[in-house]
Amino acid sequence: MAKVIGKIIIDIEHCKGCELCVESCPHDCISIADTINAKGYQYAIMVNDHCTGCVNCALVCPDAVISVYRKVVREPKPAKIKEVEIS
Amino acid sequence: MSDIEMLEMDDVCIKENEMYYKPSTLTDTPMHYCPGCGHGTAHKVLMEVVEEMGIENDIIGVAPVGCSVFAYHYMNVDMQQAAHGRACAVATGIKRCYPERFVFTYQGDGDLAAIGTAETIHAANRGENILVVFINNGIYGMTSGQMAPTTLPGMVSTTSPFGRDVATMGHPLKISELLAQLPGVAYVTRQSVHEANNVKRTKKAFAKALEYQKRGLGFCLVEIVTNCPSNWKMTPLQSNKFVTDKMIPFYPLGDIKVPEGK
Ligand SMILES: Cc1ncc(C[n+]2csc(CCOP(=O)(O)OP(=O)(O)O)c2C)c(N)n1
Ligand code: SF4
Ligand code: SF4
Ligand code: SF4
């Protein structure tokens, strides 16, 4: 089965901690950090790996500080085990 | 982070897997807008469309007076500053000198619907072939939250501290519906940028409007109902909820006028 791996990169120094991305994520992947950036804002951070790369967070971010990547891994793992058996 | 997680990050975060990135048509200058302000989202969406259409060298924008007065610092395209409310008049001049260029204005509700009402209505009535981006946050943002023509009935602002009383202060002006009646106007739509799906629709609206401009169909207006967390005295999330619960029921989203045969 194809597995979708989504990742986001947040430019934390330019994040303003508005939380719009937190609200928009269907998988609760984003939270607000306890620490602050140089501007004094508590910035957004990724807190789990359930991201599917749906881009919701990036669309609503007013400061365009989120980049989103998505990789679909199609190779099923059992195939590797078969290879081992043949050899 | 463990080594495996790091490897995965390097593996996934490569150009070919890119789903979303900041458009090159936005400069690297951080936007000065308050946290969660819809101005940033609106700039971003407009510039994404410009990048995707590949027209960054063929478009000229007109910046307003208001919070978005520095739009020219953020939009990486040719820009001209207009005096308060006069963006449609300036855009008219630019479009007539350079008819082959795309021309847009970006204006707030105080700019477009109060001090600039005359310029806006007459440019629309002349059917000027320009795109007008109208940011409706129901308030004068830059000057600290005075009542605008678009302020909702009962809405508190610094100049209507007990709420807008329509008996003495008049009813909110629905500019989009008003302009849609004019024959020179080709396309009028009202959108928002407070949720991901709305951002996608706004993007389509900008693309359509610029396409109509290319075909010389006339005046196009894209109104964006948005927030002003600072002057509404709300958190960004509360302000977006206000947009959903109060602004959109009064200013319903969707196309108000589309070119004939569309
Ligand atoms: C001729 C003139 N009159 C008044 C002002 C003061 N002024 C600056 S911004 C503004 C209102 C802007 O409100 P809006 O267009 O709604 O934009 P926002 O700040 O909400 O984005 C006013 C009245 C001015 N700069 N110039
Ligand atoms: S939406 Fe953007 S600016 Fe706001 S908290 Fe998320 S990453 Fe930061
Ligand atoms: S891309 Fe989608 S799933 Fe991933 S963090 Fe952003 S909103 Fe959440
Ligand atoms: S004052 Fe309001 S409109 Fe202006 S940047 Fe702040 S939130 Fe946005």
Side-chain angles (χ1 to χ4, degrees):
Chain A
M1 209 189 76
K3 193 183 165 218
V4 177
I5 303 173
K7 292 272 177 207
I8 59 168
I9 295 179
I10 305 171
D11 174 4
I12 55 169
E13 278 310 321
H14 294 117
C15 167
K16 294 177 185 161
C18 68
E19 295 187 62
L20 299 190
C21 55
V22 178
E23 175 91 351
S24 77
C25 179
H27 303 291
D28 298 326
C29 300
I30 312 175
S31 188
I32 296 294
D34 294 335
T35 45
I36 55 172
N37 61 20
K39 290 266 186 200
Y41 292 116
Q42 279 179 264
Y43 50 85
I45 45 167
M46 208 176 181
V47 288
N48 63 37
D49 57 4
H50 302 161
C51 175
T52 57
C54 74
V55 308
N56 274 10
C57 54
L59 290 177
V60 299
C61 175
D63 293 89
V65 300
I66 304 181
S67 320
V68 182
Y69 299 84
R70 177 186 216 172
K71 187 179 168 121
V72 182
V73 189
R74 294 194 192 280
E75 203 60 51
K77 278 200 171 151
K80 273 192 178 168
I81 297 167
K82 256 190 188 169
E83 253 176 57
V84 177
E85 278 171 1
I86 293 160
S87 64
Chain B
M1 231 183 236
S2 72
D3 281 358
I4 297 162
E5 277 174 318
M6 278 307 282
L7 269 178
E8 212 178 281
M9 198 90 187
D10 290 345
D11 200 26
V12 177
C13 299
I14 52 174
K15 192 85 189 155
E16 66 186 70
N17 294 334
E18 211 164 48
M19 295 294 292
Y20 188 93
Y21 57 93
K22 180 175 168 169
S24 62
T25 36
L26 279 181
T27 62
D28 289 335
T29 313
M31 293 191 251
H32 72 283
Y33 302 117
C34 309
C37 175
H39 270 306
T41 325
H43 283 24
K44 185 182 80 166
V45 179
L46 180 60
M47 287 300 112
E48 277 170 23
V49 173
V50 168
E51 185 188 64
E52 278 167 29
M53 291 177 74
I55 55 171
E56 55 271 33
N57 296 324
D58 305 316
I59 192 162
I60 304 172
V62 184
V65 169
C67 282
S68 48
V69 64
F70 291 140
Y72 46 79
H73 283 329
Y74 313 133
M75 298 185 184
N76 203 0
V77 298
D78 285 341
M79 297 283 288
Q80 171 63 46
Q81 172 72 58
H84 202 13
R86 314 311 184 222
C88 284
V90 173
T92 299
I94 296 174
K95 187 70 184 182
R96 288 186 178 202
C97 292
Y98 297 104
E100 74 292 352
R101 298 286 171 93
F102 291 90
V103 176
F104 71 92
T105 73
Y106 182 101
Q107 305 174 257
D109 43 4
D111 190 83
L112 180 143
I115 193 168
T117 319
E119 282 76 5
T120 309
I121 290 183
H122 290 294
N125 196 39
R126 292 191 306 267
E128 297 298 340
N129 197 22
I130 57 174
L131 161 64
V132 172
V133 181
F134 169 35
I135 305 294
N136 178 1
N137 57 10
I139 215 152
Y140 286 10
M142 187 197 209
T143 45
S144 73
Q146 292 83 355
M147 191 180 79
T150 46
T151 303
L152 298 179
M155 189 170 166
V156 173
S157 71
T158 47
T159 47
S160 58
F162 306 109
R164 180 177 188 154
D165 169 18
V166 293
T168 54
M169 301 167 191
H171 288 269
L173 204 51
K174 292 190 176 177
I175 283 285
S176 290
E177 279 82 350
L178 210 80
L179 294 186
Q181 301 166 26
L182 304 173
V185 177
Y187 177 55
V188 180
T189 185
R190 189 185 282 124
Q191 302 294 337
S192 77
V193 290
H194 68 305
E195 279 170 15
N197 283 337
N198 298 96
V199 175
K200 287 182 200 160
R201 282 185 210 118
T202 302
K203 193 166 169 180
K204 283 196 190 129
F206 284 146
K208 272 192 211 166
L210 289 171
E211 186 54 40
Y212 296 152
Q213 183 174 145
K214 194 175 176 179
R215 285 156 45 191
L217 299 189
F219 191 90
C220 294
L221 181 92
V222 178
E223 172 176 349
I224 300 178
V225 178
T226 182
N227 60 351
C228 176
S230 297
N231 289 303
W232 291 1
K233 314 224 180 318
M234 294 179 192
T235 66
L237 288 178
Q238 285 167 341
S239 73
N240 275 356
K241 192 162 182 325
F242 188 87
V243 169
T244 310
D245 296 348
K246 298 284 175 357
M247 296 285 282
I248 292 175
F250 194 86
Y251 295 111
L253 304 185
D255 288 348
I256 296 165
K257 185 176 193 180
V258 290
E260 270 164 45
K262 294 286 145 351

